[in-house]
Amino acid sequence: MAAPRTSLRLVAAIWSGSTRGIHGLGGAAAPEGSQKKGKTLLQFLSDHFYDVEFLREYLLQRQMLKVHQENRFQNKEWIRPDERGRFPLEFSEFPGVPVEAVDASGCAINYDGLDNVLLLKELRSLSLRRCPNVDDWCLSHLHPLANSLQELSLAGCPHVSERGLACLHHLQNLRRLDISDLPAVSNPGLTRILVEEMLPNCEVVGADWAQGLNSEPEEQPQDRASPVHV
Amino acid sequence: MLRRALRLGGGRGLVTRGPGSRGGGSTPDWDGKVSEIKKKIQSILPGGAWNPLYDTSHLPPEHSDVVIVGGGVLGLSVAYWLKKLEKRRGAIRVLVVERDHTYSQASTVLSIGGIHQQFSVPENIQLSLFSASFLRNINEYLAVVDAPPLDLQFNPLGYLLLASEKGAATMESNVRVQRQEGAKVCLMSPEQLRNKFPWINTEGVALASYGMENEGWFDPWCLLQGLRRKVQSMGVLFCQGEVTRFVSSSNHMKTTSGTEVTLKRIYEVHVKMDHSLEYQPVECAIVINAAGAWSGQVAELAGIGKGPPGTLQGTRLPVEPRKRYVYLWHCPQGPGLEAPLVTDISGAYFRREGLGNNYLGGLSPEEEPDPGNLEVDYGFFQDKVWPPLAQRVPAFETLKVRSAWAGYNDYNTFDQNGVVGPHPLVVNMYFAAGFSGHGLQQAPGVGRAVAEMVLEGHFQTIDLSPFLFSRFYLGEKIQEQVII
């Protein structure tokens, strides 16, 4: 069919900015078309509907492919990927240096992917903020890091509930735990209290004790003065 | 191009009105009439459920390749794996017959939903490990288009088994087997126990085994509904009715040594409707007995066990219903959020339920209560369950029972492990029952094993040959090493 090829040509024309105006494009789409003036805009939009959709999806995919992963070595600074998502070449020069902190925020890491993180025996800080695939099963998988992990952040993970937080009791060296913005936790205030009881040496951040409690209405003093009112 | 034309055509249709509506009278509903006529023609054609005498739409179909007796988690798991492993889509017609659609007495929904790998028989450990990975990836296995994902409410807190001096050696060897199979279980001394769980009184405890991963408890009702939804979307038919009769054909044959053997094949299953005498004879090729606590009765209907005792014909399916109680209590100073499911030396167990300091627990009774009904005996809690629990967890001395329920355990009186696979004489009846309290946690693996047996003829992934029926005749028990 001629349609795909014509649409590609039109897309190229839009990007290169060398359009000859609406009428010109309309003419390219339907060579023998005798378009009326009023119908041309609608015709143009319906012709290029799929082109615009394609463009939107392409841009969206480019955004999704940006996997943020930042790492920090012992006594060294964070090593971040450059704008193309590739790590610098000096990464391969550090095979023996232990990794201290991993920032996997926003990353699509899941249960099987965490197996790689668990190999890092000296990991001190793990950040799993806003990871869409981290759930209660993943948290129960973290127990091998019990000896070294001191800081853990789970802020904004949509699938983590209080049942997953309960199995963090294996991580007895944990000093700082961030549990803010967990939509799947049913009672954040009560959960924070129970987690603090469970991990006495750990500072739990992110959930307010009073969250979820309704404040009582204040006592009206004039009620006592007028007992007649029922 | 086609889509554009359809959109424009649809747009035009909205603007103009149909020819009939202009007249002011009622529109002749052409679309409705055409679909009705189509339905009638389809039902008259061969294969449709048309009966000229009366309406049979509430009855099960007249033919089905596989009939699964029992719609609990085991039956639905077998149905799921049969449809998943069939070679061509729509190759096998499966019918699930369940007596009670409300599941009011089904063991699945009345169980506490625990899953653990702390067995001594390697096959049990493998089944449980597979079930854990099935539950972990449940939204990939049981995904249905346009339906919301399942939330099993899985609590990955693990099981803690306690052992006295006598049972410590058994526990150590069990843990070795479990570790070999890949379960993440660790052994703890009484001191480590006190450090980790300060609310335990470790008097009398010599050793404890603690599951670190893939163990815990979940919501069995959610699993059942998820399986039901998926299985219905795969084309399995459901029928509410009771199986009252199996009609089979016999084949008299001689073995190589000259003894006469009668092999039977069930070719018809009579399914009786609820509250009526009406029944439907369903012609079938394979029958799967997944009736849970009533599997023994279903097997008797097929003639299993009717013969002189001591022979293969006379070997019954030794599965009977046993009543078990579960109590829910509240204890304000009880164990914290990290409490696993603790099983005491005496057999009493408990686990936390929710965030509000509520706990569930129970004990297997020595004197079996009458399984005729599901009434709860609160006196049993006072006399037999509370004392060992209060001794093990001193905080439980002040507790208040909130409620309780009872459920059936499809107890295998021979060796308390499941029966899987075909019967040697009734050639096309396959069993998936008798798991004595472990059916829920082993259901995905067992369903897959039975489906492999039906479709391929042998077990492929997990070899469950020690669980075949023939062990009852040969006397080979596969018993769990119970830790005292």
Side-chain angles (χ1 to χ4, degrees), chain A residues 1 43 46-47 49-50 111-112 136-137 140-141 143 162-164 166-167 169-170 186-187 190-191 194-195 198, chain B residues 1 3-4 7 132 135-136 151 153-157 184 196-197 210 212-214 336-338 352 355-357:
Chain A
M1 273 175 64
Q43 185 77 34
S46 64
D47 281 348
F49 177 72
Y50 291 104
Y111 182 89
D112 298 312
D136 299 335
W137 292 90
S140 77
H141 203 38
H143 65 90
E162 65 268 18
R163 299 175 284 276
C167 49
H169 77 276
H170 291 289
S186 53
N187 199 333
L190 184 55
T191 309
L194 292 170
V195 170
M198 188 171 86
Chain B
M1 200 170 84
R3 277 204 218 184
R4 211 191 316 147
R7 246 184 304 124
L135 295 176
R136 188 169 63 234
D151 178 17
Q153 316 256 322
F154 181 70
N155 229 316
L157 284 168
K184 307 271 201 324
K196 196 142 190 148
F197 304 118
Y210 183 35
M212 311 277 275
E213 252 197 270
N214 289 334
L337 199 57
E338 75 277 7
R352 230 192 127 103
L355 287 176
N357 278 64

Side-chain angles (χ1 to χ4, degrees), chain A residues 53-207:
Chain A
E53 282 288 304
F54 172 73
L55 183 65
R56 276 185 66 227
E57 238 193 74
Y58 177 69
L59 292 173
L60 192 67
Q61 284 223 351
R62 272 191 63 183
Q63 285 226 346
M64 277 171 57
L65 278 177
K66 275 200 203 141
V67 169
H68 299 284
Q69 202 152 9
E70 303 173 335
N71 296 307
R72 185 175 81 203
F73 286 140
Q74 227 170 29
N75 302 331
K76 288 252 179 187
E77 273 310 308
W78 286 99
I79 295 189
R80 292 191 170 81
D82 61 15
E83 72 247 3
R84 294 226 196 127
R86 273 175 264 163
F87 280 89
L89 280 172
E90 34 196 71
F91 225 30
S92 50
E93 293 171 17
F94 299 123
V97 181
V99 177
E100 263 190 7
V102 169
D103 180 3
S105 311
C107 187
I109 194 168
N110 64 359
Y111 182 89
D112 298 312
L114 275 179
D115 280 339
N116 298 318
V117 173
L118 296 178
L119 294 173
L120 306 169
K121 290 299 168 206
E122 310 243 344
L123 193 66
R124 290 224 216 117
S125 156
L126 180 60
S127 171
L128 294 170
R129 295 163 174 256
R130 301 181 312 277
C131 291
N133 292 331
V134 165
D135 58 1
D136 299 335
W137 292 90
C138 298
L139 291 186
S140 77
H141 203 38
L142 288 179
H143 65 90
L145 295 174
N147 292 332
S148 57
L149 198 66
Q150 288 176 2
E151 186 184 332
L152 178 62
S153 171
L154 296 168
C157 291
H159 293 300
V160 170
S161 74
E162 65 268 18
R163 299 175 284 276
L165 293 178
C167 49
L168 293 179
H169 77 276
H170 291 289
L171 308 172
Q172 283 299 324
N173 279 327
L174 208 59
R175 297 286 171 262
R176 194 182 147 85
L177 175 64
D178 183 357
I179 52 170
S180 40
D181 189 24
L182 292 175
V185 169
S186 53
N187 199 333
L190 184 55
T191 309
R192 180 188 164 170
I193 294 174
L194 292 170
V195 170
E196 285 190 341
E197 273 181 35
M198 188 171 86
L199 293 169
N201 299 329
C202 181
E203 178 199 343
V204 179
V205 166

Side-chain angles (χ1 to χ4, degrees), chain B residues 112 155 217 328 351-360 405:
Chain B
I112 61 168
N155 229 316
W217 55 92
L328 175 74
R351 68 157 168 90
R352 230 192 127 103
E353 169 72 26
L355 287 176
N357 278 64
N358 292 317
Y359 302 87
L360 279 186
W405 70 85

Side-chain angles (χ1 to χ4, degrees), chain B residues 140-153:
Chain B
E140 285 166 23
Y141 282 107
L142 301 186
V144 175
V145 173
D146 277 351
L150 290 171
D151 178 17
L152 281 180
Q153 316 256 322

Side-chain angles (χ1 to χ4, degrees), chain B residues 274-291:
Chain B
D274 224 16
H275 303 303
S276 109
L277 289 176
E278 202 182 1
Y279 71 89
Q280 167 79 298
V282 178
E283 213 178 308
C284 63
I286 288 175
V287 175
I288 311 238
N289 184 353

Side-chain angles (χ1 to χ4, degrees), chain B residues 179-235:
Chain B
R179 285 236 182 97
Q180 254 176 353
E181 296 293 332
K184 307 271 201 324
V185 184
C186 72
L187 284 168
M188 294 172 81
S189 68
E191 212 177 288
Q192 286 171 323
L193 259 188
R194 275 194 293 272
N195 285 342
K196 196 142 190 148
F197 304 118
W199 35 265
I200 285 191
N201 168 18
T202 53
E203 187 190 318
V205 174
L207 196 59
S209 72
Y210 183 35
M212 311 277 275
E213 252 197 270
N214 289 334
E215 294 195 358
W217 55 92
F218 62 95
D219 179 15
W221 180 252
C222 179
L223 175 63
L224 191 70
Q225 291 308 309
L227 272 172
R228 221 182 134 93
R229 195 179 71 176
K230 176 67 175 173
V231 143
Q232 271 178 325
S233 82
M234 287 164 128

